[in-house]
C-alpha cells in the first residue's frame, strides 16, 4: 500500500507581514511526514508570479519521521528568503511517497488566524 505521494503542490503561499504584537510571530510552514522505513530525498521548488522559479532546496527525511520547515526562515544551503507579501507556489518532489501539509499563522489582527492550505498531490 502506497503511503503518500511523490509530488505535492501548494498554490497559496503568501507570508503575511508582521503584526503589531512582537510576542506573536506569524509564519508559514511546510510539514512533511515519511510513513516509510526508508529515507526520503526531497526537493522544493518555488514558483512566483513575476520571476523565475527557485529550485534546488533539498531536504532529507528519515523513515517514520516528520519535520516542519519554516518558510519564513532562510531555506537551503544558500539561505533563500521568500519575503513578506510575495505570492508563490511550493512544489514538493520526493523520490518516495510522503505526506505533506502547508499552514499559515497570520498575526496581523488580535484575533489571529491559523489555517492550512489544501495541496494537490500526484
Amino acid at each position: 500500500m502506497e503511503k503518500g505521494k511523490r509530488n505535492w503542490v501548494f498554490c497559496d503561499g503568501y507570508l503575511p507581514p508582521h503584526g503589531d504584537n512582537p510576542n506573536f510571530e506569524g509564519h508559514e510552514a511546510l510539514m512533511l511526514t515519511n510513513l516509510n522505513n526508508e529515507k526520503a530525498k526531497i526537493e522544493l521548488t518555488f514558483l512566483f508570479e513575476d520571476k523565475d522559479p527557485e529550485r534546488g532546496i533539498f531536504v532529507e527525511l528519515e523513515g517514520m519521521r516528520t519535520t516542519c520547515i519554516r518558510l519564513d526562515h532562510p531555506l537551503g544551503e544558500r539561505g533563500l528568503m521568500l519575503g513578506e507579501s510575495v505570492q508563490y507556489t511550493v512544489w514538493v518532489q520526493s523520490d518516495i511517497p510522503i505526506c505533506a501539509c502547508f499552514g499559515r499563522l497570520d498575526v496581523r489582527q488580535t484575533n489571529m488566524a491559523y489555517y492550512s492550505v489544501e495541496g494537490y498531490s500526484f
Side-chain angles (χ1 to χ4, degrees), residues 3-4 25 42 62 71 73 82-83 91-92 106 118 122:
K3 299 174 186 170
E25 183 180 13
I42 301 161
E62 295 293 333
L71 299 173
H73 292 173
L82 297 173
W91 178 15
V92 179
D106 189 339
E118 185 70 29
F122 56 99

Side-chain angles (χ1 to χ4, degrees), residues 9 11 16 38 49 56 61-62 65 67 83-84 92 100 103 108 113:
V9 180
C11 296
E38 62 187 285
E49 291 180 308
L61 182 57
E62 295 293 333
R65 295 287 188 268
T67 191
E84 292 181 350
V92 179
R108 289 178 285 179

Side-chain angles (χ1 to χ4, degrees), residues 84-103:
E84 292 181 350
S85 304
V86 175
Q87 188 71 45
Y88 67 91
T89 290
V90 58
W91 178 15
V92 179
Q93 300 168 81
S94 177
D95 66 336
I96 65 171
I98 61 170
C99 298
C101 164
F102 180 96

Side-chain angles (χ1 to χ4, degrees), residues 6-116:
R6 293 176 190 255
N7 287 275
W8 292 84
V9 180
F10 298 94
C11 296
D12 188 28
Y14 183 86
L15 179 63
H18 293 286
D20 294 333
N21 188 337
N23 295 322
F24 296 110
E25 183 180 13
H27 69 271
E28 289 185 322
L30 181 64
M31 287 70 67
L32 306 175
T33 301
N34 182 356
L35 297 174
N36 302 287
N37 290 321
E38 62 187 285
K39 181 188 296 184
K41 296 176 183 166
I42 301 161
E43 180 178 5
L44 307 180
T45 299
F46 295 90
L47 307 170
F48 304 94
E49 291 180 308
D50 58 355
K51 62 182 179 177
D52 291 338
E54 291 282 355
R55 303 175 187 276
I57 306 298
F58 296 101
V59 177
E60 290 190 350
L61 182 57
E62 295 293 333
M64 298 304 293
R65 295 287 188 268
T66 191
T67 191
C68 176
I69 300 168
R70 289 282 299 264
L71 299 173
D72 56 312
H73 292 173
L75 297 164
E77 292 180 4
R78 66 181 189 270
L80 173 68
M81 289 296 294
L82 297 173
E84 292 181 350
S85 304
V86 175
Q87 188 71 45
Y88 67 91
T89 290
V90 58
W91 178 15
V92 179
Q93 300 168 81
S94 177
D95 66 336
I96 65 171
I98 61 170
C99 298
C101 164
F102 180 96
R104 176 183 300 135
L105 176 60
D106 189 339
V107 297
R108 289 178 285 179
Q109 299 178 27
T110 54
N111 55 343
M112 297 175 283
Y114 183 83
Y115 53 97
S116 60

